Amino acid sequence: MKIKHCLVELDALTKTVVKNFDYDFDGKTVFECIVKPKNPEDYNIGVIHGASGSGKSTLLAEYGREKSISWDQNKSIVSHFANEKDAVEKFTAVGLGSVPTWCKPYHVLSTGEKFRADLAMNLVDGGVVDEYTSVVNRTVAMSASIALARYARKKNIKITIATCHQDVLEWLEPDWSFDTKDSSLVVGRCLQRQPIRFGVLEGNTSYWGIFKHHHYLRQDIQRGAKVYLCYLDKELVGFSASIYLPGRIPLYWPDELATGKLRGKWRGHRLVVLPDYQGLGLGVRFSDVVAKMFLDRGLRYFSKTAHPRMGEYRQSSKKWRATATNLADRSKSKGNKTKWWKHMKLDTKRICYSHEYIGE
């Protein structure tokens, strides 16, 4: 332990309180500080945990100072980053995957969204984060922690965290952790995160009202879409809709097409995971499960997205195969003079990822 002290002025109010409560005080406070542990120098995630008032913040200062963030109320939160790539990577790294949220000013965000935005700004090599997850529910804490740990190890950066919540240790899987209660240091990723298990059930388009405000594109939906819902611990967390290609949209499974030479084609139409659950990797896995259901029935399944997290996942996944229009700039194509193909509106303004699901 290190001994430190601080001094305050004995003004009139302080003297009155000291006198009324019979507290012997001369303006000097002496307190003990925990000595910095001998943690590994080379790490990605380090965690200091313990009760409030146990010296976590003082010890965290040994690892650096938390970045002071000034949010301009007249600008979107995404405008505060160096460039588009930096913003997308860091928002994704904290589970803030909603494009509409990126375009809002900081002061209108929810408490959970503000926590994630602040965290994204602190994702720098050598960064420190105090009072980690203290202001958010445990669902947000879990999803943000899993996403943060994934990013830190992928980018090989060093992040040190102080928190009073011990449950984040399982989700972060830190390279070292220090308990201020008994000054014990644990080195190595000894805690193994439990697998996330989710269920998928068939639904209908009436559920779209719960999710539409969180989608990064249009909020309309095809009436004949095939809908699946994602559940996590009995909580409805995800929505997926698919539409039939290339012409009519039947309200039933076209099983007869699968038995002939012509294989029915379906396309992903809408996919949303509720904000509190973004960062867990549910979106890409939910998409895989839905696509597999179509493939298992002898049908072909295609999907197009402009979202970088989903697109890059499919680029590296062996389950998805890029189509001829993958990352193609259609705005410069001479042959693309119409914006409509069959019943689908073609996207000529954005460069999108385009893939077909081929399975394992």
Side-chain angles (χ1 to χ4, degrees):
M1 292 284 186
K2 294 188 296 183
I3 306 299
K4 289 189 175 183
H5 70 273
C6 65
L7 295 172
V8 298
E9 179 185 347
L10 284 173
D11 54 32
L13 182 55
T14 304
K15 289 180 180 179
T16 299
V17 171
V18 168
K19 180 181 178 180
N20 290 342
F21 286 89
D22 196 22
Y23 175 48
D24 186 13
F25 182 63
D26 60 359
K28 182 179 181 179
T29 300
V30 178
F31 53 94
E32 295 180 336
C33 293
I34 300 172
V35 177
K36 183 179 179 181
K38 295 182 179 180
N39 57 271
E41 290 296 323
D42 185 20
Y43 65 91
N44 295 125
I45 302 288
V47 177
I48 302 166
H49 62 97
S52 296
S54 61
K56 299 187 302 297
S57 297
T58 304
L59 179 56
L60 183 65
E62 299 283 343
Y63 295 87
R65 297 290 178 182
E66 192 167 11
K67 183 178 179 181
S68 178
I69 307 168
S70 178
W71 296 98
D72 189 335
Q73 293 191 12
N74 297 314
K75 294 184 177 181
S76 65
I77 58 173
V78 72
S79 69
H80 290 73
F81 290 80
N83 51 58
E84 179 187 359
K85 181 181 179 182
D86 183 49
V88 171
E89 282 188 343
K90 289 182 177 178
F91 280 146
T92 303
V94 298
L96 190 61
S98 172
V99 177
T101 300
W102 299 354
C103 299
K104 296 176 182 177
Y106 180 82
H107 67 280
V108 305
L109 303 182
S110 68
T111 300
E113 290 169 338
K114 287 180 178 178
F115 162 74
R116 295 194 200 233
D118 290 336
L119 185 58
M121 293 289 283
N122 274 290
L123 290 186
V124 295
D125 193 18
V128 299
V129 181
D130 200 4
E131 297 296 337
Y132 181 70
T133 74
S134 294
V135 298
V136 295
N137 63 50
R138 307 326 293 158
T139 299
V140 174
M142 176 178 65
S143 57
S145 297
I146 292 174
L148 168 62
R150 185 191 306 124
Y151 177 83
R153 293 189 169 99
K154 179 181 178 180
K155 293 293 184 179
N156 193 27
I157 62 173
K158 184 183 296 184
I159 303 288
T160 311
I161 291 168
T163 180
C164 60
H165 295 284
Q166 195 165 346
D167 55 358
V168 301
L169 295 177
E170 176 186 335
W171 306 325
L172 288 168
E173 296 181 298
D175 301 295
W176 63 266
S177 62
F178 182 80
D179 191 342
T180 56
K181 179 177 64 177
D182 55 9
S183 295
S184 60
L185 174 68
V186 176
V187 178
R189 296 165 63 181
C190 58
L191 290 176
Q192 185 175 3
R193 185 189 309 140
Q194 295 300 311
I196 297 173
R197 302 186 185 280
F198 63 92
V200 177
L201 295 176
E202 189 171 343
N204 56 61
T205 55
S206 67
Y207 287 89
W208 179 237
I210 302 173
F211 296 89
K212 65 180 182 180
H213 299 296
H214 305 292
H215 196 265
Y216 71 101
L217 291 178
R218 299 180 303 275
Q219 294 183 7
D220 60 322
I221 190 169
Q222 293 276 7
R223 291 180 59 188
K226 186 73 174 176
V227 173
Y228 284 99
L229 306 171
C230 178
Y231 287 85
L232 184 65
D233 294 332
K234 299 183 180 180
E235 287 288 330
L236 177 59
V237 301
F239 177 97
S240 172
S242 305
I243 55 177
Y244 181 63
L245 293 177
R248 64 190 179 92
I249 309 175
L251 299 178
Y252 56 87
W253 280 91
D255 291 327
E256 69 279 4
L257 295 177
T259 59
K261 295 182 179 180
L262 177 64
R263 293 179 64 194
K265 298 179 182 179
W266 287 74
R267 171 183 177 270
H269 178 48
R270 296 286 184 263
L271 178 69
V272 182
V273 173
L274 293 178
D276 281 1
Y277 298 89
Q278 293 176 8
L280 297 174
L282 280 177
V284 294
R285 288 162 179 80
F286 181 29
S287 173
D288 283 356
V289 170
V290 170
K292 186 176 185 300
M293 288 179 173
F294 284 87
L295 191 68
D296 288 347
R297 297 184 72 100
L299 305 167
R300 298 179 71 182
Y301 191 83
F302 298 83
S303 187
K304 182 181 68 174
T305 181
H307 201 288
R309 164 72 172 130
M310 181 69 74
E312 288 302 316
Y313 164 77
R314 290 173 178 169
Q315 287 284 85
S316 59
S317 174
K318 294 181 179 179
K319 299 177 183 179
W320 293 86
R321 177 174 59 198
T323 69
T325 59
N326 183 48
L327 297 177
D329 186 354
R330 283 175 167 170
S331 65
K332 299 178 181 179
S333 176
K334 295 181 180 179
N336 184 30
K337 296 181 180 180
T338 177
K339 293 184 178 181
W340 287 86
W341 181 73
K342 302 293 184 180
H343 65 280
M344 287 174 50
K345 188 174 182 179
L346 295 175
D347 197 328
T348 60
K349 296 181 180 179
R350 296 175 301 122
I351 297 178
C352 297
Y353 299 88
S354 179
H355 293 82
E356 178 181 2
Y357 184 81
I358 57 175
E360 297 291 351

